[in-house]
């Protein structure tokens, strides 16, 4: 969030993670961040503001505190550092003060980028010393940088070239200065070719600054032609004090808001405290930071009780040392951000001098604050919308999962798009029915919650098996469970899928206890293969239903079956491979509405273990098991992605190619015989057995 203040602990954590990712030191990362931050500020619209801070790097640094003070009008919670440039013995020292620990390595990155971009020169900053100073507001990190400009290095390089050529020392010195001056001029002219007229003027002024300073002789009058009364009215907010902080003079309006200043001998620190820079209130500390912008705040205990009800007035301005008088003049203005704060101080724009830009700043910042507040609201709304959109997407996925559990996916998608779902005629599919043996007796003797828990435990296991074997669950009514293979996506292996599913149901039922006897329940299973008509019926609660005699016959197979047996109709028996499934003949029985039928019981899959039938494989691998002398080649796959029909055909080809034993005519007609997962409705896991 752009206008949100984040704790420095978050920043340092990000820095540490960046160091680990980039395999760089913390110093290098912070320096790189400083370079990027300068580019970010330029891209964010502060380019012109930064360029006008000063004509060279020193002036730029000396005015950084003033820039931070201005930005604090809009960003009240900004906690900016303070900078001070010191010139000693031809050395340039940069003093950095901050109560935010560990961020000082950003400074070299920023200032080196500024010097390179704005002033066309290369500088380097090296840490001379680092300590913690006790200031008025607590411990403050103080780092001193040695700032070196590479112009001297360039001049030294020219000097070395001239010295190597030999010659008179005085002539060499002249040639050195001329060569260095010519090099600077050529460099500047080369840079000016790509700049605007204003940039050209600025560079010329900067380049010839020393010549201008030498030629300009300012004129000073013999006496000051300003009356004391007029001066105090023209500068209504100013204070003159001596080395002992005793007030000698004050503007008319500052006397109005701080009446105690009219008393002779009043000390400045009795009525004011220093807010910025955070230094002790002594003339030595003030002179030390003479180039900084000072913010003073009226002390609450120095005013009458009537005045303490409103916020304490802050003054912002410049300290000017008058050496001949050994006095300091504080030329300032009220520090106000908006018209609201002006009213809180019971002030008017007329209290501020007309030449003072604070009047314009208050009006301008009033509009800017309104824009910032609007931007904050937009960002908060944007974040709320993002969260709502994320939650909506999660809820949408839940709704779709629920819908796909009730209807086939392609059917549900058509209904969501408002399309009419046409009924489908399927020439061949396999339908399974099952029910719980003695379910009526169990219901009459047990509590309803026990019945619900039993059915939920059983159906949860069955539902998982539908995903393992790629069959579609049609519905459950009481203890009856109905599934179909080959619908809604037709597949040739529908009978094998349903057969393996039936074997899994029988195994899963043994894990569910009868609440009446506390023994595993028994189920009856009936399977039949034939044509059906399928379609969506209903609008309030649409269901995907199957119609046709095949449904009735499958139901008859279940009702005429035996406990813990899988009862197969003649068509299903013929659809299953006898080399893969073990089936025994039940014989001829009388089926209601169908007459006499010769049915069979399915006993097991000859090429799949119980774990494979239940989908309990843990490793996703494809292994080819070849038997000697014409035995079956079994390829088992238990993967997260469903197979397509084309994938199955490819596996069949591989199996056929890798098998050394010849296949009979029957086996060549049916290669895919067990545990496939080829339909879109199948679950993520699948087990295929090919021979």
């Amino acid at each position: 969030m752009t206008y949100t203040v984040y704790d420095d602990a978050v920043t340092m954590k990000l820095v540490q993670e960046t160091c680990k990712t980039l395999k760089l030191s913390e110093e290098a990362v912070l320096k790189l961040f400083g370079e990027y931050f300068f580019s970010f500020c330029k891209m964010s619209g502060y380019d012109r503001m930064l360029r006008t801070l000063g004509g060279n790097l020193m002036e730029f640094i000396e005015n950084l505190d003033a820039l931070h003070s201005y930005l604090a009008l809009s960003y009240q919670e900004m906690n900016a550092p303070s900078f001070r440039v010191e010139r000693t013995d031809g050395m340039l020292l940069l003093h950095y003060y901050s109560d935010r620990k560990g961020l000082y390595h950003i400074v070299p990155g920023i200032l080196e980028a500024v010097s390179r971009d704005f002033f066309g020169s290369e500088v380097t900053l090296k840490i001379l010393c680092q300590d913690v100073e006790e200031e008025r507001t607590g411990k403050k990190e103080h780092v001193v940088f040695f700032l070196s400009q590479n112009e001297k290095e360039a001049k030294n390089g020219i000097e070395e070239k001239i010295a190597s050529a030999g010659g008179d020392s005085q002539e060499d010195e002249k040639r050195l200065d001329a060569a260095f001056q010519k090099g600077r001029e050529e460099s500047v002219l080369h840079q000016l070719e790509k700049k605007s007229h204003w940039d050209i003027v600025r560079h010329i002024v900067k380049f010839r600054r020393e010549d201008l300073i030498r030629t300009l002789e300012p004129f000073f009058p013999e006496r000051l032609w300003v009356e004391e009364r007029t001066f105090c009215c023209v500068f209504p907010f100013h204070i003159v004090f001596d080395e002992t902080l005793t007030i000698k003079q004050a503007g008319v309006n500052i006397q109005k808001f701080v009446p105690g200043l009219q008393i002779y001998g009043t000390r400045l620190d009795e009525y004011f405290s220093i807010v910025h820079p955070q230094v002790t209130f002594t003339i030595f500390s003030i002179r030390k930071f003479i180039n900084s912008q000072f913010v003073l705040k009226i002390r609450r205990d120095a005013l009458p009780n009537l005045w303490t009800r409103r916020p304490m007035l802050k003054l912002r301005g410049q300290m000017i040392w008058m050496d001949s008088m050994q006095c300091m003049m504080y030329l300032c203005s009220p520090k106000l951000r908006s018209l609201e704060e002006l009213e809180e101080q019971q002030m008017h724009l007329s209290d501020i001098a007309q030449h003072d830009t604070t009047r314009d700043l208050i009006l301008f910042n009033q509009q800017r604050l309104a824009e910032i507040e609007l931007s904050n609201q937009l960002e908060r709304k944007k974040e709320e919308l993002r969260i709502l959109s994320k939650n909506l997407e999660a809820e949408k996925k839940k709704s779709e999962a629920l819908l796909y559990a009730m209807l086939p996916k392609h059917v549900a998608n058509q209904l969501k798009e408002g399309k009419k779902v046409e009924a489908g005629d399927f020439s061949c599919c396999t339908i399974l029915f099952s029910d719980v043996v003695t379910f009526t007796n169990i219901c009459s003797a047990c509590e309803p919650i026990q019945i619900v828990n039993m059915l939920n435990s059983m159906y949860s296991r069955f539902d998982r098996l539908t995903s393992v074997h790629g069959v579609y669950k049609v519905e459950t009514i009481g203890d009856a469970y109905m599934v179909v293979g080959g619908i809604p996506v037709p597949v040739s292996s529908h009978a094998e899928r349903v057969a393996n599913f039936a074997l899994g149901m029988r195994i899963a039922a043994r894990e569910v206890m009868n609440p009446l006897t506390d023994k595993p329940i028994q189920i009856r299973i009936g399977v039949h293969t034939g044509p059906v008509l399928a379609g969506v019926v209903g609008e309030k609660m649409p269901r995907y239903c199957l119609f046709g005699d095949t449904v009735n016959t499958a139901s008859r197979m279940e009702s005429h079956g035996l406990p813990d047996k899988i009862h197969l109709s003649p068509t299903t028996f013929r659809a299953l491979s006898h080399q893969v499934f073990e089936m025994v003949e039940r014989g001829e029985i009388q089926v209601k509405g169908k007459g006499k039928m010769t049915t069979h019981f399915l006993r097991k899959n000859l090429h799949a273990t119980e774990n494979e039938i239940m989908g309990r494989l843990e490793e996703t691998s494809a292994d080819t098991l070849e038997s000697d002398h014409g035995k079956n080649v079994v390829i088992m796959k238990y993967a997260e992605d469903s197979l397509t029909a084309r994938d199955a055909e490819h596996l069949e080809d591989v199996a056929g190619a890798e098998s050394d034993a010849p296949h009979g005519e029957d086996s060549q007609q049916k290669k895919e015989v067990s545990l496939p997962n080829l339909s879109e409705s199948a679950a993520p896991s699948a087990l295929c057995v090919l021979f």
Side-chain angles (χ1 to χ4, degrees), residues 478-496:
D479 64 326
Y481 195 91
M482 177 184 178
V483 299
V484 62
I487 294 178
V489 179
V491 289
S492 60
S493 59
H494 51 83
E496 288 84 356

Side-chain angles (χ1 to χ4, degrees), residues 210-450:
E210 295 178 359
D211 294 337
L212 290 174
I213 293 176
R214 283 197 295 267
T215 57
L216 178 62
E217 292 292 339
F219 170 75
F220 296 103
E222 294 181 359
R223 57 180 295 267
L224 190 61
W225 292 85
V226 179
E227 295 179 349
E228 291 81 356
R229 178 184 295 270
T230 303
F231 186 88
C232 291
C233 292
V234 171
F235 299 100
F237 290 92
H238 82 276
I239 303 173
V240 177
F241 56 95
D242 60 13
E243 291 179 316
T244 62
L245 302 182
T246 302
I247 297 175
K248 301 295 185 180
Q249 176 181 316
V252 292
N253 283 348
I254 201 170
Q255 297 179 39
K256 174 182 175 182
F257 291 97
V258 188
L261 299 183
Q262 297 175 338
I263 303 174
Y264 180 77
T266 302
R267 286 174 54 89
L268 186 63
D269 55 353
E270 294 177 1
Y271 286 88
F272 293 93
S273 60
I274 300 179
V275 176
H276 179 84
Q278 296 176 356
V279 296
T280 54
F281 212 143
T282 63
I283 199 70
F284 174 77
S285 298
I286 294 174
R287 292 190 63 180
K288 186 178 179 181
F289 287 84
I290 194 70
N291 291 322
S292 299
Q293 191 176 70
F294 277 76
V295 177
L296 303 187
K297 182 179 179 180
I298 299 177
R299 298 167 59 99
R300 187 175 296 274
D301 56 358
L303 296 179
N305 294 333
L306 183 64
W307 291 66
T308 57
R309 298 176 184 176
R310 62 191 184 192
M312 294 295 98
L313 179 65
K314 292 182 181 179
L315 301 174
R316 178 185 60 199
Q318 176 185 8
M319 293 288 184
I320 303 171
W321 175 249
M322 297 177 289
D323 193 53
S324 61
M325 303 178 64
Q326 291 295 297
C327 287
M328 184 77 72
M329 180 170 66
Y330 181 46
L331 194 60
C332 57
S333 302
K335 186 182 180 183
L336 301 172
R337 301 174 63 247
S338 61
L339 296 175
E340 181 181 357
E341 292 185 0
L342 188 73
E343 293 175 345
E344 289 177 352
Q345 295 294 340
Q346 299 180 13
M347 295 179 64
H348 301 86
L349 287 175
S350 59
D351 293 324
I352 304 173
Q354 293 188 8
H355 63 80
D356 195 340
T357 56
T358 304
R359 297 162 62 108
D360 301 326
L361 186 61
I362 292 173
L363 297 175
F364 170 76
N365 203 54
Q366 180 71 27
Q367 180 181 0
R368 177 173 172 78
L369 289 175
E371 293 174 353
I372 290 177
E373 179 58 28
L374 180 60
S375 179
N376 282 334
Q377 293 178 9
L378 289 175
E379 285 211 10
R380 286 193 294 267
K381 290 296 181 184
K382 180 181 177 181
E383 182 67 14
E384 291 174 5
L385 288 175
R386 188 190 66 80
I387 295 173
L388 289 175
S389 177
K390 183 178 179 180
N391 295 338
L392 180 62
E393 188 65 26
E395 294 299 324
K396 181 182 177 182
K397 289 182 179 179
K398 291 180 183 178
S399 301
E400 288 180 347
L402 182 60
L403 184 60
Y404 295 154
M406 299 172 60
L407 296 169
K409 187 173 182 180
H410 76 283
V411 173
N413 290 336
Q414 291 183 42
L415 291 176
K416 285 197 302 180
E417 295 172 1
K419 298 179 181 179
K420 185 178 180 180
V421 182
E422 300 291 339
D425 188 8
F426 296 86
S427 60
C428 192
C429 69
T430 300
I431 299 176
L432 176 148
F433 277 95
S434 74
D435 71 346
V436 179
V437 179
T438 67
F439 182 71
T440 304
N441 297 336
I442 295 174
C443 291
S444 61
C446 296
E447 295 292 329
I449 188 63
Q450 293 177 300

Side-chain angles (χ1 to χ4, degrees), residues 6 75 92 94 134 159 216 245 383 400 430 481 485 672:
Y6 295 95
Y75 308 99
L92 291 176
L94 172 63
E134 290 286 347
E159 184 176 4
L216 178 62
L245 302 182
E383 182 67 14
E400 288 180 347
T430 300
Y481 195 91
E672 183 184 2

Side-chain angles (χ1 to χ4, degrees), residues 157-216:
I158 297 174
E159 184 176 4
E160 290 175 1
K161 290 182 180 180
I162 295 176
S164 63
D168 183 72
S169 59
Q170 294 182 355
E171 290 295 325
D172 289 348
E173 187 175 353
K174 292 180 181 179
R175 289 167 58 194
L176 170 63
D177 292 337
F180 185 67
Q181 184 71 12
K182 182 179 179 182
R184 290 186 62 190
E185 291 176 354
E186 290 177 352
S187 175
V188 170
L189 290 174
H190 177 70
Q191 295 175 14
L192 295 182
E193 290 177 357
K194 302 180 180 180
K195 296 185 178 293
S196 63
H197 299 296
W198 172 247
D199 289 331
I200 292 174
V201 173
R202 188 172 69 84
H203 276 80
I204 291 174
V205 172
K206 181 186 73 172
F207 180 65
R208 293 295 185 182
R209 179 177 296 271
E210 295 178 359
D211 294 337
L212 290 174
I213 293 176
R214 283 197 295 267
T215 57
L216 178 62

Side-chain angles (χ1 to χ4, degrees), residues 552-621:
N552 296 330
T553 305
S555 179
R556 293 288 183 265
M557 291 296 100
E558 177 267 320
S559 60
H560 288 73
L562 298 178
D564 204 30
K565 299 290 184 180
I566 301 173
H567 197 199
L568 305 179
S569 70
T571 55
T572 303
F573 173 75
R574 290 192 294 270
L576 294 175
S577 172
H578 299 193
Q579 295 179 339
V580 176
F581 294 97
E582 180 182 343
M583 295 171 283
V584 296
E585 183 178 343
R586 181 183 183 183
E588 191 176 72
I589 62 172
Q590 185 72 29
V591 178
K592 182 179 178 180
K594 298 295 179 181
K596 293 183 178 181
M597 297 178 64
T598 300
T599 60
H600 294 74
F601 289 125
L602 175 63
R603 295 185 62 182
K604 63 180 180 179
N605 186 318
L606 299 174
H607 298 293
T609 64
E610 180 176 310
N611 284 339
E612 294 168 351
I613 292 290
M614 297 299 293
R616 294 171 183 163
L617 290 183
E618 297 180 356
E619 297 183 0
T620 61
S621 60

Side-chain angles (χ1 to χ4, degrees), residues 465-472 484-486 491 497 676-677 679 681-683 685:
L465 288 173
T466 61
S467 299
V468 173
H469 299 287
V471 295
Y472 177 68
V484 62
V491 289
R497 292 167 181 261
N677 190 11
S679 68
S681 60
S685 55

Side-chain angles (χ1 to χ4, degrees), residues 449-581:
I449 188 63
Q450 293 177 300
I451 305 301
V452 171
N453 290 337
M454 180 191 74
L455 292 178
N456 183 58
S457 177
M458 181 179 68
Y459 289 159
S460 297
R461 288 172 168 79
F462 292 173
D463 291 345
R464 192 186 70 83
L465 288 173
T466 61
S467 299
V468 173
H469 299 287
V471 295
Y472 177 68
K473 174 184 174 182
V474 181
E475 62 180 352
T476 57
I477 303 175
D479 64 326
Y481 195 91
M482 177 184 178
V483 299
V484 62
I487 294 178
V489 179
V491 289
S492 60
S493 59
H494 51 83
E496 288 84 356
R497 292 167 181 261
V498 175
N500 285 311
F501 175 76
L503 292 171
M505 290 180 72
R506 192 170 59 180
I507 297 171
R510 297 170 189 165
E511 301 173 356
V512 181
M513 296 298 147
N514 185 332
L516 191 60
T517 62
D518 209 20
K519 294 181 180 180
I521 62 172
Q522 289 186 317
I523 58 174
R524 279 190 299 264
I525 302 173
V527 185
H528 177 61
T529 301
V532 296
L533 183 69
V536 177
V537 296
E539 293 182 356
K540 187 173 183 180
M541 290 187 63
R543 299 294 300 175
Y544 191 71
C545 298
L546 308 181
F547 304 94
D549 186 62
T550 301
V551 180
N552 296 330
T553 305
S555 179
R556 293 288 183 265
M557 291 296 100
E558 177 267 320
S559 60
H560 288 73
L562 298 178
D564 204 30
K565 299 290 184 180
I566 301 173
H567 197 199
L568 305 179
S569 70
T571 55
T572 303
F573 173 75
R574 290 192 294 270
L576 294 175
S577 172
H578 299 193
Q579 295 179 339
V580 176
F581 294 97

